[in-house]
Amino acid sequence: MIPGALREAVARDGETIVYVPREHLLETMTWLKETPGQEYDYLVDVTAVEFRDRERPLEVVYFLRSLQRKADLRVKVELESAGELSVDSVVGLWRGADWLEREVYDMFGITFTGHPDLRRILMWETYAEGYPLRKSFPLRGRFSRAEQVRQALNANPEAHYSMEELSIAEAGGDLPDDMRERLRRGERGVIPEPPRNP
């Protein structure tokens, strides 16, 4: 039995699943990565699952692989839907967890304590509709497409996105005329200086 694990199970595909309490996640993941004979040195993915059943918890799911042993492992942390939606960050163990944890935060609203730069990664920072992969999120969103575009443009996209990223948005016809014209000339708009702390 893995230290700190509540229980182990076997998935239909034969892969081992380990359930770990939230408070033991970091010590368990450290043991899995650093213990000889375990050596799960590659973090394949971090995701989450929310069940429709109120009795079933929200889960954070980690997919680990030992490249040397060619072994896979799923580690699950159950969170109570009504409780605190946070777990420790594993970025200190696997740098690849950085963007993966940010995606789970952005889509599910789960906070990763100790993450070096926890902010939205797919939705813009001022996105106010909630967390798109939660069951409570409406199928078509809370705002119309036009309102979503308006909010995104008000967030000053030229300050946050590269010229290449802006040109992709321009191809969809969503940028205002002045921004589209600047892109055609290969120019950026005036990006305001961030406020300075006194």
Side-chain angles (χ1 to χ4, degrees), residues 124 126 150-161 166 179 182 188-193:
W124 54 96
T126 57
R150 188 192 68 72
Q151 286 182 14
L153 292 174
N154 283 342
N156 191 9
E158 289 178 279
H160 300 288
Y161 297 100
L166 289 170
M179 195 180 294
R182 280 196 300 275
R188 290 181 80 86
V190 176
I191 299 171
E193 290 283 327

Side-chain angles (χ1 to χ4, degrees), residues 36-109:
Q38 298 299 319
E39 300 157 325
Y40 286 95
D41 51 354
Y42 180 54
L43 176 68
V44 178
D45 198 8
V46 179
T47 190
V49 179
E50 183 180 18
F51 300 97
R52 283 201 180 273
D53 186 345
R54 258 188 265 192
E55 301 301 313
R56 289 192 76 183
L58 186 75
E59 292 178 345
V60 181
V61 184
Y62 300 84
F63 294 87
L64 303 178
R65 178 166 295 142
S66 170
L67 297 173
Q68 182 180 357
R69 296 188 306 110
K70 296 181 176 66
D72 293 329
L73 180 69
R74 260 183 262 174
V75 176
K76 294 186 176 188
V77 178
E78 296 177 341
L79 304 175
E80 295 178 19
S81 297
E84 184 182 349
L85 297 180
S86 71
V87 294
D88 288 325
S89 173
V90 296
V91 171
L93 293 170
W94 296 281
R95 281 297 296 157
D98 185 351
W99 286 15
L100 299 172
E101 289 179 351
R102 283 179 61 191
E103 183 179 356
V104 173
Y105 166 72
D106 195 2
M107 296 289 105
F108 288 92

Side-chain angles (χ1 to χ4, degrees), residues 95-189:
R95 281 297 296 157
D98 185 351
W99 286 15
L100 299 172
E101 289 179 351
R102 283 179 61 191
E103 183 179 356
V104 173
Y105 166 72
D106 195 2
M107 296 289 105
F108 288 92
I110 297 169
T111 302
F112 291 87
T113 307
H115 189 284
D117 186 24
L118 192 63
R119 59 191 167 94
R120 287 193 181 264
I121 192 169
L122 299 173
M123 310 308 287
W124 54 96
E125 289 184 45
T126 57
Y127 183 75
E129 289 194 55
Y131 304 103
L133 293 182
R134 295 293 301 271
K135 298 294 186 195
S136 58
F137 192 82
L139 189 59
R140 294 184 181 266
R142 291 186 175 87
F143 305 128
S144 68
R145 175 159 168 75
E147 175 60 16
Q148 290 176 23
V149 170
R150 188 192 68 72
Q151 286 182 14
L153 292 174
N154 283 342
N156 191 9
E158 289 178 279
H160 300 288
Y161 297 100
S162 69
M163 293 295 280
E164 182 182 5
E165 290 167 324
L166 289 170
S167 66
I168 292 169
E170 193 270 336
D174 289 329
L175 298 181
D177 292 338
D178 62 329
M179 195 180 294
R180 191 176 301 128
E181 188 56 39
R182 280 196 300 275
L183 279 172
R184 286 192 189 112
R185 293 191 309 260
E187 301 171 0
R188 290 181 80 86

